[in-house]
Amino acid sequence: MKCAHQDCPHSARNVLPLQHRRSGYAAVLSGRAPGSHPASRHPASARIVLGLALSLAAVAGLQWPTRGMAQAVGAPQGVVPPRAAPPKPTGLSQLSETESAQPTRAAAAVAVKTEEGDLGGSDFRIDVPSGENASGTGARWNRQLVLYYHGYQPEPEVFRPNPATNAPYPPTRLVTQLLQRGYAVAQPGYRSGGWAIATAPGDADALRHYFSKRNGSPQRTFIVGQSMGGLLTVLSLEQNPHDYAGGLAICGVLAPADAIMQRAFANRVAFDAFFPGILPDVEHIPAGFHMNDPATASVVEKALDAHAAEAALLRSLADIHTNRGLADVLVFNTFVIQDLRNKAGGNPFDNRNLIYTGTTDDNALNARVRRYAADARALHYVAEYGSPSGNLRRPLLALHTTYDPLVPASTAGYYDELTRRLGVGDRFVQQYVDRDGHCNVTPEQVGAAFDELVSWSDGGARPEPGRLPDAAGQKPVHQEPNAVPTQPKTVGKPQ
C-alpha cells in the first residue's frame, strides 16, 4: 500500500467493515516496511509457513550471521552465506504497504553503522548511529533500541547491498527520523511472507538477543510497527511487556484477526454474487495469483464501472469511496484469502450466520451471496494468530489517517474498548492525521508521534487523543496543500 512521502505509499486494497460496526474493521493487509531497497521485492506467492514462534532459543550457539556491514567491525567467524539475490519484480508491487515503485531514501543525515544478515532463515537489518557525518551533524547512539515490524507482503523481506557500491542502502526516511534521535533500529525480515503473525515475534526476539550480543544490551527498547506490524506491536507489548518500554502502531490492525479476515472474505464473496467469474473462485485461487496485479484490478474496475447500482452496493458494504479503490482491495484480499487457507491448512472462512447489512439493497445481497462453511481447525488458526487481549502494561500510541481503505481507523475503537474493560485504558492513546490512504503518514509525523511516546514512557503527560500535535506540542500537525498533498489523486492508490 503511496503517498506524498516515499516511505509509505497509499494502498488501494482492502478491507471491509465488521458486521457490528458500520464503519468497518478492515482486513490487515499491507505490504512492506521502508527498510529495504528495490531489489528486495518479490513476486507474489502463497508461501506455506506454519508454526508458533513466540520466542526462540537463546542466541548463544547460533552462528554469527553478519554480512554487508558498513563502517562496522569485521565479521566474526561462522558468517552465514548470503542468499541468492531475489528476482526482480514483475511490475506488480503498487499495493505493497510501505513502498513505491522507487522508494526514496534519505541521504545519510547521520553517520550510521549498518549490518545486514540472516538469523535462522529471517533476514535482518540493524542501523546504529555512530556520530557526526561529513556535514558536522548527526547523533551518537543513545544506548536505546527501536525494533521495527514491517507490514504484510507476499514474501519475506530480504535486505541486500546496493549492487553499484556493494554497500548497504542508506536508511529510509522513516528510519532516519529515529536515527536522528539517537536510537538504533533493528528490522527483522521474517521467515515467512504473508500473514506472518505466527513467526515474526520469534524472529524479532532472536534479533533483539543478537543485537545485544553484538552491540551491548540497550538500556531500553521501543517497538514501532506499520499495518500488520502494528498488530505485532500490540501483541508484543501485551505478551512481553518486560522487554519493551512502549510501542507506536502506525496504521495498525487493532482488532482480532478472525473478525477482520472474516469480513474481508464476506465482502469478496459479495462481489462474486454480482460479478461471477471475474476473480478466481475463493476455493480455487491459483498459486500464481498476484496480490497487487494492476491488470486484474483494471478488469474488476471496468466491471464495476459498467454496473453502477451493484458497484454502489459493494462500495457501501466495504466503506470504500471509489471503484478503483474497491477493485484493488478485492484483488489484494483474494491473495490474502489463499495465503490464509495455505497457512491454516483448510478453509478458515464462514459466512453462514452473517446477515449483510448497511448496503443499498441488503435483501438482494443476502439472497444472492453464496454461503461457506469453515474447517474448525483452520478457523482456530486464524483466531489464534492473532487476537489482542487489551491487557496492556506498557504505553501504546496508535497513529492513523482519517480515511484508510485498507485498515480503517475504526479498528482502534475495538482495542480502546478492550483496554477500558480491563481497567488499563490510560495506557492506550489513538491519534490521527488529516490524510487519506493506508499508512499515508509522513516520516516527520512519525517522528513527532515517537517523541510523544518517549516522553510518556519517561513519566511525562499522557498524549492527548485526537489530532496529532506538531513537534512543539502547540498546534495540530497540518500540511500545506502545496507542500504535501493530503488528498491523493486516486484515493487509496499509491502516488
Side-chain angles (χ1 to χ4, degrees):
M1 329 148 183
K2 183 102 193 159
C3 49
H5 75 89
Q6 288 82 4
D7 283 325
C8 80
H10 294 304
S11 160
R13 334 104 275 181
N14 166 270
V15 202
L16 324 142
L18 277 182
Q19 180 61 27
H20 65 283
R21 289 187 184 279
R22 174 64 186 88
S23 55
Y25 291 149
V28 170
L29 316 162
S30 145
R32 66 193 239 62
S36 59
H37 54 81
S40 67
R41 298 180 218 144
H42 297 260
S45 71
R47 184 184 179 100
I48 304 175
V49 182
L50 295 175
L52 172 62
L54 294 179
S55 62
L56 295 181
V59 175
L62 289 179
Q63 290 181 316
W64 292 103
T66 306
R67 72 162 182 266
M69 294 179 66
Q71 303 175 22
V73 297
Q77 300 297 315
V79 174
V80 175
R83 300 177 190 170
K88 294 216 175 198
T90 56
L92 305 177
S93 61
Q94 55 265 52
L95 291 190
S96 285
E97 161 188 297
T98 49
E99 74 172 284
S100 65
Q102 295 294 331
T104 295
R105 294 176 176 276
V110 294
V112 62
K113 179 182 72 174
T114 297
E115 179 182 356
E116 295 173 340
D118 177 292
L119 276 171
S122 171
D123 263 40
F124 70 85
R125 174 172 171 138
I126 293 172
D127 292 289
V128 181
S130 57
E132 291 186 355
N133 57 22
S135 64
T137 62
R140 291 194 177 277
W141 183 31
N142 63 9
R143 309 301 304 180
Q144 300 180 67
L145 174 66
V146 173
L147 179 72
Y148 178 84
Y149 278 124
H150 71 69
Y152 187 100
Q153 58 190 55
E155 294 287 342
E157 181 72 271
V158 177
F159 298 101
R160 287 288 173 268
N162 183 340
T165 62
N166 198 32
Y169 283 83
T172 62
R173 292 171 57 198
L174 187 154
V175 170
T176 297
Q177 287 286 320
L178 303 171
L179 296 170
Q180 287 173 331
R181 288 161 168 79
Y183 292 84
V185 180
Q187 304 177 64
Y190 313 157
R191 282 166 289 156
S192 61
W195 192 242
I197 301 297
T199 58
D203 299 332
D205 193 54
L207 181 55
R208 283 194 309 103
H209 284 87
Y210 174 78
F211 179 92
S212 295
K213 286 183 175 291
R214 292 288 289 148
N215 300 281
S217 297
Q219 294 173 356
R220 60 179 177 178
T221 301
F222 292 93
I223 320 176
V224 175
Q226 289 186 281
S227 196
M228 181 187 75
L231 176 58
L232 286 164
T233 297
V234 173
L235 295 175
S236 295
L237 288 181
E238 290 181 348
Q239 296 167 7
N240 299 293
H242 54 284
D243 292 328
Y244 303 105
L248 173 61
I250 308 163
C251 56
V253 180
L254 302 182
D258 53 346
I260 290 171
M261 297 303 185
Q262 291 296 342
R263 193 58 192 175
F265 176 85
N267 288 10
R268 170 51 230 271
V269 298
F271 171 81
D272 294 341
F274 295 99
F275 298 93
I278 292 180
L279 287 171
D281 181 87
V282 292
E283 293 182 316
H284 302 93
I285 299 169
F289 187 89
H290 291 283
M291 76 177 190
N292 49 16
D293 185 351
T296 303
S298 293
V299 171
V300 175
E301 181 184 19
K302 290 178 182 178
L304 293 168
D305 289 344
H307 299 275
E310 291 83 356
L313 182 151
L314 293 169
R315 290 197 312 273
S316 65
L317 177 67
D319 198 17
I320 293 177
H321 296 174
T322 66
N323 284 347
R324 182 63 191 200
L326 177 60
D328 287 327
V329 163
L330 291 168
V331 172
F332 194 94
N333 278 349
T334 299
F335 179 88
V336 175
I337 288 168
Q338 182 65 6
D339 176 36
L340 288 174
R341 287 175 64 93
N342 287 336
K343 286 186 168 69
N347 174 38
F349 303 106
D350 197 313
N351 67 336
R352 291 174 297 170
N353 285 325
L354 176 64
I355 301 174
Y356 288 81
T357 62
T359 73
T360 56
D361 193 340
D362 295 343
N363 293 335
L365 175 56
N366 281 287
R368 296 180 66 163
V369 71
R370 180 181 169 185
R371 306 292 175 163
Y372 294 81
D375 302 327
R377 292 182 64 181
L379 184 68
H380 176 75
Y381 176 90
V382 177
E384 184 174 3
Y385 303 109
S387 296
S389 68
N391 187 23
L392 268 182
R393 284 176 280 174
R394 292 290 184 268
L396 172 63
L397 176 59
L399 185 64
H400 223 103
T401 57
T402 48
Y403 173 63
D404 183 339
L406 187 61
V407 181
S410 57
T411 61
Y414 176 90
Y415 195 72
D416 183 51
E417 291 176 6
L418 277 182
T419 59
R420 287 190 285 109
R421 288 172 183 172
L422 293 176
V424 293
D426 59 341
R427 295 175 185 159
F428 174 67
V429 171
Q430 173 68 61
Q431 294 184 335
Y432 67 89
V433 294
D434 294 330
R435 296 171 71 87
D436 295 337
H438 184 59
C439 292
N440 184 20
V441 179
T442 69
E444 293 75 21
Q445 290 170 332
V446 172
F450 184 75
D451 289 342
E452 289 187 295
L453 172 65
V454 171
S455 176
W456 185 16
S457 300
D458 285 339
R462 177 175 179 258
E464 285 293 327
R467 201 174 180 197
L468 175 70
D470 66 7
Q474 297 173 346
K475 60 182 179 180
V477 170
H478 176 70
Q479 300 293 334
E480 293 299 328
N482 292 334
V484 180
T486 60
Q487 177 73 15
K489 296 175 183 178
T490 305
V491 173
K493 288 281 291 176
Q495 302 299 308

